[in-house]
Structures are given as C-alpha cells and as structure tokens.
Amino acid sequence: MAELIKPMLILVAVWLLCAAVAQSEKPQRWVALVGFSIVMLPILVFLVAGLSGLSLREMATPAARTFLNATGLHANELAVELLPAYAAALFMFPSYRSLNAKIWGAAVMGATVLALVLTFSRAAFLGVILVTFAFFFLRGSYRYIFAGVLVFAVVAAVLPDSIIERATTGMGQKGTIGAHNDPLTAGRVRGIWLPLLPDVARHPILGDGTNSILWSTPARQGLIVEGHPHNAYLRLVKDHGIVGIPLIVYFLLQVWRLYRRLARDETQTPLVRAYFNGMSVALVVFFVQCMSGTRLIFELLHVFYWLAIAIGLGLEARKQRVAQLAEREVAPQWHQASKMLRPIA
C-alpha cells in the first residue's frame, strides 16, 4: 500500500506547487527558494559527519560506508539527491547580480559539493566532474574552458589522499572486472548482476514487480542480501520488463524537454533559464549515475527533479494564461474598432 500512496502524495505536492507558481505574480521567486532548500541537506550531512567522530581516511573505508545512514539515506542515495542541487547552484551562480547574492550562491555551491565529497561515492565524484565540465564547456568561451581546466588542476592538487584513493579504487587493476569482490564494481558483476540475469529471462515482458530483487531466486537462496541491484537499468528490466521501458523512457524524455524549453525561453529571467539549464545537465548525468545504483522511476529521493518539474509546469501554465488574457484584452478592442469602421464603409 505504501508503494501506491507515496507516489500519489508526491504527485499531489507537485500539482500544488505547480498551481502556486502558475498563479504567482513573480514566479522567479520560487526558483530563488530552491537555493534555500538546497542548503539544508548539506547542513544535515555536515552534522552527521561531525558527530560520527571519524576522520576523512576512516570515512573513505568500506567499513564506514554506512556512517551517513543517520540521515535516513545511504551515502549513494545522498549522492543522487545532492547532484541536481549542485548543478542548479552552479549554473545559477553567474546569474546573481548583487554581491550578497553571489556570496550566498557561492556558499550554497560550496556546501553542496563538500557534502557530495563526504558521501565518498565514486558516482558522486564522477557526477561532480561531469556537471562542472559541462558548466564550463557550455559557457561557449575559451576563457571559461581554460578556467575549468585550471579549477580541475587546482582541486586535484589539494584533495586529501583519502578522497583520491577512494575515487580511483579499482583503476589500473587489469583483469579484475567480474572477479569475486573486484574493487572496480565492488563485486557487483559476479555477486549481484550475473545471478539476477536468469530471473530477468523468466519474465522479460512484464517483469516481476517493484523491488522484485527481494523475492528473486538468488535472494531466497541467500546469495544476495542487498535490497536493490545497484544498477537502475537492470532494476527497471527486472521490475517492469520490456513493457515498462518505453513508458519510463517517454516520461524522462518529456522531463528533459521541459527543462530544455525553459532553459532556452527568452521570456524567462536569466536566473530561471540558468536553473533549468543546470537541471537538464543534471538529468543527463543522472543516467550515468544509474549505472551504479538508484532507480529510473522518480521517487522522494529525486526531490530536486520533482521541484524543477513542478516549477517548470507552473511557469509554462502561467505563460499560457498570460497569453490568453492578452488575447481577451485585444479581442474587444478589435471588435469595437470594426464597429466604428462599418459606417465609413
């Protein structure tokens, strides 16, 4: 029942926010509020990390991968939730005009990327690199591309060894992918993915239902203890089969198109366009993150994507409403002018 009620509550929240944005006189303020909502999650990560009493080197060890569970989310889940927040903060930063706004934007951006680093998730590290590279590349200037290369070089030089060791785990070890507990995939090829393939082949059309890994054959035999397959694509096929794939792909494609339309809409403010530009990049990088976990069906974990969907739909609804009101104002004037011209004719 929870699997039915929770998604419905998310859709209700999206509808309410969409309606509020559509009726707002200054809808860009809703985008500004996203910045305030972003900073709360990094603060929670900092508190949990500080109270854990662990050093950076201890946090990077496999034995300490659960120290962030006190937030209610696993480190890998936090990485998925924080990445769109970082992308939005980064892309919105150049749009701030006042000094106070720039200071606030830099603080939000710095807090978010630091929280992502503290997850010690390799998917988070890769996501930060890809989003940052896309930001500098899309600026369309060699000056920005050079600045991006310089930033990467400086950051790589000052990063603690524990972070570099975690980020490069399994690299340079030839012939280990697919072996038992191979470091590059954390043993997932042989320990999770390959054992699940026979189950996928049994029901390829409709799948086995949501979270079907819990009652899969390897799980019943005690070969798998994880609650998800650590691969969103494998999870989609196993849970929803071939029938579910086009539905999910269509939804995600429409979400990306919504982000891109608003990123290019000249009637929107620069801050709004920058926000949706960042979200469109984050969604593309999200598909890379899906190789190591999460799921392609949005849930509460993907709250920042949901916020962008609600705000985006509200902005488009408001734009349509304003256009309709303008047409209604023009129509009576045209009718009155026609009546005045009739005697002349």
Side-chain angles (χ1 to χ4, degrees), residues 139-168:
R139 301 299 293 176
S141 170
Y142 290 110
R143 178 167 56 93
Y144 280 100
I145 294 175
F146 175 77
V149 173
L150 185 62
V151 167
F152 279 120
V154 172
V155 170
V158 301
L159 275 178
D161 292 340
S162 56
I163 296 176
I164 296 176
E165 290 173 5
R166 173 60 184 167
T168 57

Side-chain angles (χ1 to χ4, degrees), residues 36-256:
F36 291 93
S37 65
I38 286 174
V39 78
M40 301 309 296
L41 193 55
I43 290 175
L44 179 61
V45 172
F46 299 154
L47 286 175
V48 171
L51 294 174
S52 69
L54 300 174
S55 66
L56 281 177
R57 183 166 294 278
E58 291 172 330
M59 291 178 186
T61 60
R65 292 290 291 141
T66 59
F67 82 95
L68 286 175
N69 285 7
T71 63
L73 295 171
H74 187 270
N76 292 338
E77 294 176 322
L78 279 169
V80 172
E81 186 167 1
L82 282 165
L83 185 72
Y86 168 66
L90 176 62
F91 276 77
M92 286 194 296
F93 179 74
S95 300
Y96 294 125
R97 293 291 176 259
S98 68
L99 179 61
N100 290 337
K102 286 186 176 294
I103 293 174
W104 169 252
V108 172
M109 185 170 52
T112 307
V113 74
L114 182 57
L116 277 163
V117 170
L118 287 177
T119 65
F120 287 94
S121 165
R122 288 175 293 176
F125 297 159
L126 179 60
V128 169
I129 292 173
L130 292 176
V131 167
T132 307
F133 173 80
F135 169 76
F136 286 110
F137 183 78
L138 292 175
R139 301 299 293 176
S141 170
Y142 290 110
R143 178 167 56 93
Y144 280 100
I145 294 175
F146 175 77
V149 173
L150 185 62
V151 167
F152 279 120
V154 172
V155 170
V158 301
L159 275 178
D161 292 340
S162 56
I163 296 176
I164 296 176
E165 290 173 5
R166 173 60 184 167
T168 57
T169 299
M171 296 182 181
Q173 301 183 29
K174 297 181 180 179
T176 59
I177 298 177
H180 182 65
N181 289 329
D182 69 275
L184 187 60
T185 68
R188 292 167 185 166
V189 173
R190 187 172 178 179
I192 303 176
W193 299 342
L194 290 179
L196 284 175
L197 290 183
D199 264 29
V200 173
R202 288 191 188 98
H203 305 97
I205 306 301
L206 297 177
D208 293 319
T210 305
N211 298 325
S212 59
I213 188 175
L214 298 176
W215 57 84
S216 64
T217 302
R220 294 198 304 269
Q221 294 174 347
L223 301 176
I224 295 178
V225 296
E226 286 81 1
H228 61 90
H230 290 277
N231 186 294
Y233 301 101
L234 178 59
R235 185 176 189 173
L236 177 63
V237 175
K238 177 157 180 25
D239 288 358
H240 305 286
I242 297 174
V243 172
I245 293 175
L247 299 176
I248 303 305
V249 170
Y250 177 78
F251 169 77
L252 293 172
L253 180 61
Q254 293 306 311
V255 170
W256 185 79

